[in-house]
Amino acid sequence: MNSITGFQIDHPHSPDRIASPLTATEVAAAVRSELSSRSPLIAVQSTGHGRTAGMRSGTLIDTSRMNDVAVDPSTCTVTAGAGARFAEVMAATAPHGLAPLSGSFPGVGIAGYSLSGGVGLLSRKYGFAADNVLSAEIVTPDGEIRMASAQENPELFWALRGAGSNFGVVTSLTMRVFPIVEVLGGSIEIDLRVSPQAGQVWREWAMQQGRDMMTAAAICSAPTSAEDLPAFLRGIHQLRIQVAWSGGTELGRAEVARLEHALVAAGAEFASSIDVVPFARTGEIFAEPDEPHSYGSEAFFLPELGEQTMVDLIEASTPDRVPTFTVIGLRLLGGAMAKAPETANALGHREATWLFSVLSPLNESEETPLPHHLTIAGELGASEIGDVLLGRSLNFTFRSLDAKEIASAFEPDDLTRLRSLRDHFDPHRVMLAQFAV
């Protein structure tokens, strides 16, 4: 990956200048240098997974070299540079029998993921990643290095954990890590052309799970005429169930067996690859692509996932109804994520019990939002649920959003507070925030 594109190669940056600092002092120098320009503008990028639009002038601060990781086993915390990826954090914490609140892909950077929420493999047990950030070092848009925590700059600390890129360049985070060495994890693959009833079986099983179980499902589909795809993906309509159980292994095996028995009873055919996995290898559970590419998505928090909605989503994603490879994602929330953290933050919609997303790769001529993504998202309006969209999930939205769409990610009072804080810390709008409040 390079500084201009990063992992998401759609809408690359084209800045006037690129800074690749190693320290917060160097970040501050880059910010102050940009402030002396005629029209100062600063964007920050680590891995570039979540970039939604590229800058066209100003300074890009590439934090990818700021990847030092220090573990304190005595306090179960880790301090990592903003350029560190979760794979590096996992490698550092594993020898101490500890695990971070990493997500489905260990190649993601810690800063953007954690400060936009962070729905991880252990989040039903321990909360959002943002809930477990204890402090942040940040260079604010005036070029000053500040610490933000519950004790120091508490208003800034509140705002960072939910809307981070609006307030400066985060240079390091201190986060809780947890005594998890391994999980019972893996996936179950089902051909929906043969067993369309499997989605309903999984949904009902998932809603009975406690905090030790992370479970998600991906509905993958592609048109039979998709010549740009490998032959084995053309015409696919597949359900991929992912699980990660962090409790006692035998209890977890019993829960997985209960799901598999329910699938058999419903007449569903499936292939299962669930077993004990060291936490450092949990990227294998979702097995997401690890090569940079272009992609776009929509993502929403849901209060519930009704029976008819599940049926509608499966029907809306059949190979004859999607123009390109499409992945509908459904992740079970709740558990510790529904509980307010010890130190409040700006994350919204804790009452959500599901996270919905729909993602596709992009070609050079495509603009987002993709029409078929909006059509599929429209299936969430089932009458049995009523007003189903609580708001946007910024972590899983990979396209530019307008002000109204961004606003939907936050509680109204929190949005007012965030805007006031942005006016205070960045009155001249020096920061090119990924999702500007």
Side-chain angles (χ1 to χ4, degrees), residues 82-108:
R85 305 179 192 188
F86 271 107
E88 295 164 319
V89 175
M90 292 156 74
T93 57
H96 303 285
L98 299 169
L101 294 185
S102 51
S104 53
F105 182 53
V108 167

Side-chain angles (χ1 to χ4, degrees), residues 12 62 82 119 189 209 262 284 300 303-304 321 352 388 390 393 413:
D62 174 5
V119 179
E189 297 187 357
Q209 293 305 307
E284 298 172 9
F300 301 94
E304 60 181 284
R321 294 184 65 180
V388 302
L390 294 174
S393 165
D413 289 348

Side-chain angles (χ1 to χ4, degrees), residues 165-398:
S165 62
N166 284 272
F167 303 100
V169 183
V170 169
T171 55
S172 71
L173 296 176
T174 297
M175 306 171 289
R176 294 187 185 96
V177 287
F178 300 91
I180 301 290
V181 175
E182 60 189 20
V183 298
L184 181 70
S187 64
I188 297 174
E189 297 187 357
I190 300 157
D191 188 340
L192 289 171
R193 296 169 298 184
V194 177
S195 306
Q197 69 276 25
Q200 207 62 256
V201 173
W202 168 73
R203 168 190 159 274
E204 293 174 1
W205 172 84
M207 292 192 300
Q208 300 167 12
Q209 293 305 307
R211 295 187 177 196
D212 286 334
M213 180 66 79
M214 182 292 304
T215 187
I219 303 170
C220 306
S221 57
T224 55
S225 59
E227 295 184 359
D228 58 322
L229 295 176
F232 73 91
L233 286 179
R234 297 173 197 166
I236 191 175
H237 196 207
Q238 185 183 67
L239 180 70
R240 298 177 183 172
I241 298 169
Q242 294 100 5
V243 303
W245 169 272
S246 55
T249 301
E250 293 311 310
L251 288 174
R253 290 192 189 279
E255 281 302 317
V256 171
R258 194 162 65 82
L259 171 59
E260 293 176 344
H261 292 156
L263 289 169
V264 170
E269 300 178 11
F270 62 90
S272 178
S273 59
I274 297 172
D275 206 344
V276 174
V277 181
F279 197 86
R281 288 175 42 202
T282 49
E284 298 172 9
I285 294 173
F286 282 76
E288 294 179 351
D290 59 3
E291 291 296 324
H293 59 287
S294 296
Y295 44 92
S297 74
E298 309 291 323
F300 301 94
F301 289 112
L302 309 179
E304 60 181 284
L305 180 64
E307 180 177 349
Q308 186 58 47
T309 301
M310 191 74 193
V311 171
D312 292 343
L313 289 175
I314 291 174
E315 290 181 353
S317 60
T318 55
D320 61 330
R321 294 184 65 180
V322 296
T324 187
F325 186 71
T326 300
V327 180
I328 296 173
L330 296 165
R331 298 183 188 227
L332 183 66
L333 302 179
M337 287 179 280
K339 181 182 177 182
E342 292 179 20
T343 304
N345 58 40
L347 291 182
H349 308 304
R350 289 184 181 275
E351 73 273 33
T353 57
W354 292 92
L355 192 154
F356 161 89
S357 63
V358 54
L359 177 145
S360 294
L362 301 174
N363 61 43
E364 293 181 359
S365 63
E366 285 183 302
E367 293 293 331
T368 54
L370 296 177
H372 80 286
H373 284 186
L374 300 181
T375 299
I376 290 172
E379 298 296 337
L380 299 171
S383 59
E384 64 175 338
I385 296 179
D387 185 13
V388 302
L389 302 182
L390 294 174
R392 286 270 171 182
S393 165
L394 300 183
N395 254 154
F396 290 84
T397 296
F398 303 120

Side-chain angles (χ1 to χ4, degrees), residues 43-124:
V44 60
Q45 179 166 287
S46 171
T47 64
H49 279 81
R51 189 185 63 252
T52 56
M55 70 187 318
R56 296 292 172 262
S57 64
T59 294
L60 172 65
I61 297 180
D62 174 5
T63 62
S64 61
R65 296 202 302 159
M66 303 176 69
N67 61 351
D68 289 347
V69 179
V71 183
D72 185 345
S74 66
T75 59
C76 290
T77 60
V78 62
T79 299
R85 305 179 192 188
F86 271 107
E88 295 164 319
V89 175
M90 292 156 74
T93 57
H96 303 285
L98 299 169
L101 294 185
S102 51
S104 53
F105 182 53
V108 167
I110 65 159
Y113 166 92
S114 298
L115 298 179
S116 294
V119 179
L121 301 183
L122 302 174
S123 285
R124 281 177 48 78

